[in-house]
Every structure is written in C-alpha cells, then in structure tokens.
Amino acid sequence: MTIGKAAVEVLKDIPKVTDNPYVITGRIEGQHLTDMQRPWRRLRKRAKLEDVRIHDLRHSFASERATTRRGPAR
C-alpha cells in the first residue's frame, strides 16, 4: 500500500515495544490492536467528524484510486 510521507513520519514516531513486531500494539503483550472503536471515537470527536466511519475512508480511497488510477505500485 502506498502512503504519504506525512503518514510515514507519524508511524516512525510511534514508540516501539520490545518483542512486539507490530507498529500499533494491543493491550495483550505481543499482540496488535484489534478493536479500533474507542480510539476511532476519540479521534473523530477531536477532529469534529462525528459521522465518519472507518469504512467511509476505505470507500473514499477506493473511489479516488479508481478515478485517478493511482494507487499501490505493483
């Protein structure tokens, strides 16, 4: 998947957890985050986007990709 430079920088700034290969870790040692609902609600509230679903973002990306024919390099 292709992501922008700003997103790469944000991901690089996330502290690494010893012995956990995941970038976004879960509460269980060695696991990844599995439930995005609470963080997503906080993020939406902070951004004042109360009616946006994660699925909406996926749809927007797919629509943009289909329109511009840009997307992940193969």
Side-chain angles (χ1 to χ4, degrees):
M1 170 173 39
T2 303
I3 60 174
K5 290 179 185 178
V8 170
E9 293 306 315
V10 167
L11 292 173
K12 283 182 181 179
D13 286 342
I14 295 174
K16 295 191 179 8
V17 176
T18 305
D19 295 328
N20 191 321
Y22 299 103
V23 175
I24 301 174
T25 60
R27 292 179 186 231
I28 299 172
E29 187 174 327
Q31 297 295 313
H32 59 85
L33 184 64
T34 59
D35 183 2
M36 289 291 296
Q37 291 309 310
R38 283 189 201 164
W40 183 244
R41 283 193 296 266
R42 285 194 309 268
L43 190 144
R44 282 191 345 237
K45 185 175 183 178
R46 186 172 178 183
K48 297 180 179 149
L49 298 171
E50 292 296 322
D51 295 331
V52 177
R53 301 171 302 156
I54 292 174
H55 180 79
D56 297 333
L57 300 178
R58 292 178 62 215
H59 185 271
S60 295
F61 174 81
S63 296
E64 175 70 17
R65 201 262 184 234
T67 301
T68 63
R69 300 198 184 277
R70 294 184 318 179
R74 295 187 190 235

